């Protein structure tokens, strides 16, 4: 999966670059160099989601990374977060205990870099 880019941040950088357009050379070439210097700042870190973040993600996809190699990691749609479990709804309902976060699994906005298992 390609790394996600924050579109607004990239647009802000392009506007900033245009304001500081150099007197010499082609603007497109200069802009490409400028963006390449700043690209690492455009990709938000892919940290595991917190419980508070999950509560705000109703009907949004999350990537479930399971630590047990016998189980499959993959995408799931968050339906609800209760006191003791996270409820996903895909082709079937999946319940995951909250106390397993960080121990048995992590949830992400996108797959950990370099890996993508699609269910």
């Amino acid at each position: 999966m390609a790394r996600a880019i924050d579109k607004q941040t990239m647009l802000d950088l392009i506007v900033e670059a245009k304001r500081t357009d150099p007197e010499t050379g082609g603007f497109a070439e200069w802009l490409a160099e400028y963006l390449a210097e700043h690209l690492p700042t455009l990709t938000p870190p892919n940290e595991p989601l917190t419980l508070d973040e999950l509560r705000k993600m109703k009907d949004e996809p999350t990537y479930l990374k399971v630590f047990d190699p016998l189980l499959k990691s993959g995408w799931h749609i968050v339906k609800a977060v209760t006191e003791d479990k996270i409820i996903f709804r895909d082709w079937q309902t999946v319940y995951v205990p909250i106390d397993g976060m960080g121990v048995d699994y992590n949830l992400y906005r996108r797959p950990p870099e370099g890996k993508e298992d699609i269910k």
Side-chain angles (χ1 to χ4, degrees):
M1 171 179 229
R3 296 178 73 184
I5 299 292
D6 182 340
K7 182 179 176 181
Q8 188 57 51
T9 302
M10 182 178 251
L11 291 173
D12 291 344
L13 275 174
I14 291 170
V15 168
E16 177 186 334
K18 187 136 178 82
R19 282 191 206 128
T20 59
D21 186 8
E23 302 270 332
T24 60
F27 176 72
E29 181 180 319
W30 180 81
L31 178 60
E33 288 178 23
Y34 183 87
L35 289 175
E37 287 176 24
H38 292 83
L39 278 177
T41 64
L42 294 177
T43 304
N46 194 23
E47 300 294 325
L49 294 167
T50 66
L51 212 46
D52 287 337
E53 290 171 323
L54 280 171
R55 285 190 174 101
K56 297 174 187 172
M57 294 182 68
K58 184 176 182 335
D59 296 324
E60 292 188 41
T62 60
Y63 189 84
L64 175 67
K65 173 62 179 162
V66 183
F67 300 148
D68 183 337
L70 299 177
L71 300 174
K72 189 171 182 175
S73 298
W75 290 103
H76 296 280
I77 306 294
V78 176
K79 281 301 172 186
V81 178
T82 67
E83 277 187 34
D84 61 343
K85 64 184 166 261
I86 303 164
I87 303 168
F88 298 107
R89 180 75 181 132
D90 297 314
W91 57 277
Q92 66 182 12
T93 301
V94 177
Y95 301 91
V96 179
I98 286 178
D99 61 3
M101 279 183 77
V103 177
D104 300 320
Y105 65 89
N106 276 328
L107 292 155
Y108 297 90
R109 293 188 190 282
R110 63 182 190 272
E113 305 311 319
K115 297 178 181 169
E116 181 176 10
D117 298 326
I118 299 177
K119 269 190 167 180

